[in-house]
Amino acid sequence: MSLPKRIIKETERLMADPVPGISAVPHEDNLRYFDVTIEGPSQSPYEKGIFQLELFLPDDYPMTPPKIRFLTKIYHPNIDRLGRICLDVLKSNWSPALQIRTILLSIQALLGAPNPDDPLANDVAQDWKKDEKGAIETARQWTQQYAK
Amino acid sequence: MKFGHVFKETLKNEGFPPAWVESAISYSQLKKCINRLTTELAAVGLTPTTLGALLKHVEDYNAATAVEDEPRPFEYILSEQPGPGSDALAHGRAARKPFHPKLLFHVSEATGELLSATLDEDTRKKLQMLAVESGISDRRVFEEPDADRKSLACHETTHVPRPGNGAPRQRPGCRTVEIPLTSDSEFFAKLAAELSGLEALQARERRDMHTQIEALGKQVAKLTDPDHRSNRKILAVWRQIFQAYVESGIFFGTTEQDHTAHDADKATVRFHEFANKIASTGLVDKLKKPENVRALNTFMNINREILQGLRFGEINRMAMMKILKKFDKQTALGVKASFPAKIEYPEFSEHLAKAVCAEVNTQILAHVPQIDDYSCPMCMDLKWRPVKLRCGHTFCIRCLIVMQNEKQHKCPLCREPTVVDANSDNLDLALAEFLKKWFPDEVKAKQKYNERMAGIDEYGEVYDGKCMVM
C-alpha cells in the first residue's frame, strides 16, 4: 500500500522544522519506521542524556497510535526494562489528531515529570517513592552511563 | 577603514532615496562637535586622561561607600530634568526635551578641595583653580530639593558615574561648581534632532507603504477572483507564489529553531532565495498576462523597500552607537551607556519592517487562501467534504466515516463524543461552496481519493476506481 499523504506530510515537517531537542528520521527501506533521539530535559536527572528510541506507524495510523519504545537503558518509573512507555496518550487517550512530533514532546515531558503513582516499572516506582533523592541520583548515574 | 567613511559610502551606494540620505545621522558633523568639545575641555585643563581618572575615582568611591544619598564629588549629567518621583524610564518617555548636559563637581566650601578625593596633586590643583575661578566669575550654588531616591538607587546599582535625573544634591559645607561647556549641548541637541527627523521619516514611509500595499491588495484580489473563470489557473499560481513567500520566512523565522526577526543581511539572503525559487520553478513565467506580472513586480518592490528600510535603520543605529563611543573616547565622560536610556530610543526600521510585514500578510496574502488553513487534522489533506461536528470541529467526511467504522466516537480535537451521532445534516455546505470556489483542483483530487477509498472499503484492495469485468 502506498504511503498515506499524512505520513508524508508529517515526515516532511519533521525534517524541515524539527522540534528542538528531538529528531526523528525514517528508514529508507521502511518509511513507517523511525529512528528517534530525545535529549533529556534540562533540570531533570536525564539532563545532557541523549536517548535513542524506535517508532513505528502501524497500518491504520492515525486511527491507532504509533508504537514507541526506548532503546537506551533508562531509570524511570514509567518506562520498563524493555523500554516500553506508560503514557496515556500512547494508549487510551490517543487521538488521531495527535502526531509524531506531539507524541515525542509528551515523552520528553514525561522525562521531566516522572509519575511513580502510575508505574510501569514497579521496582523503580517503589524505589522512587521510598527514596526520591536516591532514585533521582540513580537516574542521573544511568543517564551518564548509558545515554551518550 | 574608518566608520565615518564606510557610513558615507553605504549611504551613497545602497541606492537609498535622497530624502533618506538627508535624514541620516550626520556623523561627520557630530564628530566635529566632539573635537570642539575636546578643545573646550582641554582649555580648562580636563584632558580625557584627567577626566577618566576623575570618573574612575568617583566610581570607586561610590562602590566603596555604598551610601545612597552621598552626592558624587564629580559628575556629568546629561539633562537636568525636574520631577521628583519620576524614574529613568518615565524621563525617557517624556519625548525629546532639549538636552542641557552639565559637568559638575562638588568642592568643600572652606578649602575649595574636591570632596573625598584622593587625586594626584596635579589634578587636584586644576580643579581647585577651576573652583576658585568659577567661584568668582560664575558662582553657582545650588539650593536643591531632596533628590528622588529612586533614580539615585537605580544609578548606584549600575555604577554609572552619573546620576541622570536627580538634580545634584547640596550638602553642608560644600559647593557645586559647574564647568561651562557649549559644544556638548550642541552635540546632544543635534543628535536628538536627527533622531526625531528619522522617526518622522519612518512615519512617512509607513504611510506610503500602507497606500501601496492596500492598492496591491485590491489588485491581487481582482486578479485572483475565482468568480471569473479566466482567473482559475492564475489563482493556483498566485497561491504557490505566496506559499513560497511565507515558507521563505524572509523577515521573520517561522520554524521552531528560528522564530526571531532577521537583520537586513539575513533578510536579503532569504529574499533572493525566494526570488530564485519562484523563477526557477517557472511560476513567474506562468503568470503570462501583463497585469499579473506587473502585480508581482509591485509585490517584489514592496519587499525591496522593506529591506532597504531595514538596512537604513541598521546603519543609522550603528552610526549613533559609534558616535557616542567616539564621544566617550575623546572626553571620557561615559555617555554611551546612558544616552540611549535618556531618550526615547527609536526602534528604527525594525519596527517599520514588522508593521509593514503584518500589512503584507493581512492585505495581500490573505486574498489567496492557503490549503494548510483548510486541511483536515487527520488526513492533512483538504477537508473535502467538510463535516462539522456538534462540538464545532470540522473534518473531512472520509476520516469521520473511518472513525465511525472503527467505533471511535470522540472528536479527535476535544474528545467530546460527537463523532458517533454525525450524519448528513452535519455537512458544512457553506464551507463546501468556499472550497469548491477557491480550491477547484484540490477538491477534484480529494473527491476522487475519497471515492476510491470508499470502493476499497466495499470491495477490498483490488478496487482501483475503474469498472472491471471479472
Side-chain angles (χ1 to χ4, degrees), chain B residues 143-178:
Chain B
E143 287 295 336
E144 304 299 341
D146 280 346
D148 59 320
R149 300 202 165 203
K150 207 168 169 188
S151 75
L152 186 63
C154 144
H155 288 114
E156 290 284 347
T157 49
T158 51
H159 292 293
V160 181
R162 162 215 54 97
N165 317 300
R169 279 135 281 116
Q170 184 67 359
R171 80 178 184 189
C174 110
R175 187 154 65 83
T176 306
V177 180
E178 180 182 342

Side-chain angles (χ1 to χ4, degrees), chain A residues 1-2 5-6 9-10 13 16-21 60 62-64 89 93-99 101, chain B residues 254-257 371-372 375 377-381 395 399 402-403 406 408 410-413 415 449 452 461:
Chain A
M1 203 170 81
S2 69
K5 188 163 182 168
R6 154 142 181 176
K9 282 209 154 185
E10 275 202 64
R13 176 136 186 253
D17 184 9
V19 187
D60 47 358
M63 288 304 150
T64 55
V89 285
N93 267 337
W94 168 255
S95 147
L98 291 170
Q99 303 179 16
R101 62 195 296 129
Chain B
T254 50
T255 63
E256 303 255 6
Q257 318 233 323
I371 194 162
D372 280 352
S375 63
M378 273 192 277
C379 59
M380 296 183 178
D381 204 340
F395 302 89
C399 287
V402 174
M403 283 197 85
E406 305 240 339
Q408 297 196 20
K410 291 182 188 164
C411 167
L413 289 178
R415 299 203 166 110
Y449 174 82
R452 199 169 72 85
E461 285 289 336

Side-chain angles (χ1 to χ4, degrees), chain B residues 343-397:
Chain B
I343 57 162
E344 194 190 335
Y345 190 70
E347 303 242 359
F348 286 130
S349 320
E350 268 162 51
H351 205 67
L352 178 73
K354 224 180 262 180
V356 175
C357 283
E359 276 200 36
V360 168
N361 280 324
T362 54
Q363 304 264 359
I364 302 175
L365 304 187
H367 284 300
V368 182
Q370 287 292 337
I371 194 162
D372 280 352
D373 296 327
Y374 299 94
S375 63
C376 165
M378 273 192 277
C379 59
M380 296 183 178
D381 204 340
L382 188 76
K383 312 184 179 180
W384 180 261
R385 266 169 203 269
V387 176
K388 192 176 191 171
L389 298 177
R390 190 159 39 81
C391 54
H393 297 115
T394 316
F395 302 89
C396 77
I397 191 164

Side-chain angles (χ1 to χ4, degrees), chain B residues 306-322:
Chain B
I306 304 176
L307 274 179
Q308 216 175 28
L310 202 58
R311 171 89 62 201
F312 187 70
E314 271 174 22
I315 59 165
N316 274 292
R317 180 198 290 262
M318 170 122 55
M320 177 172 120
M321 293 325 280
K322 290 267 182 190

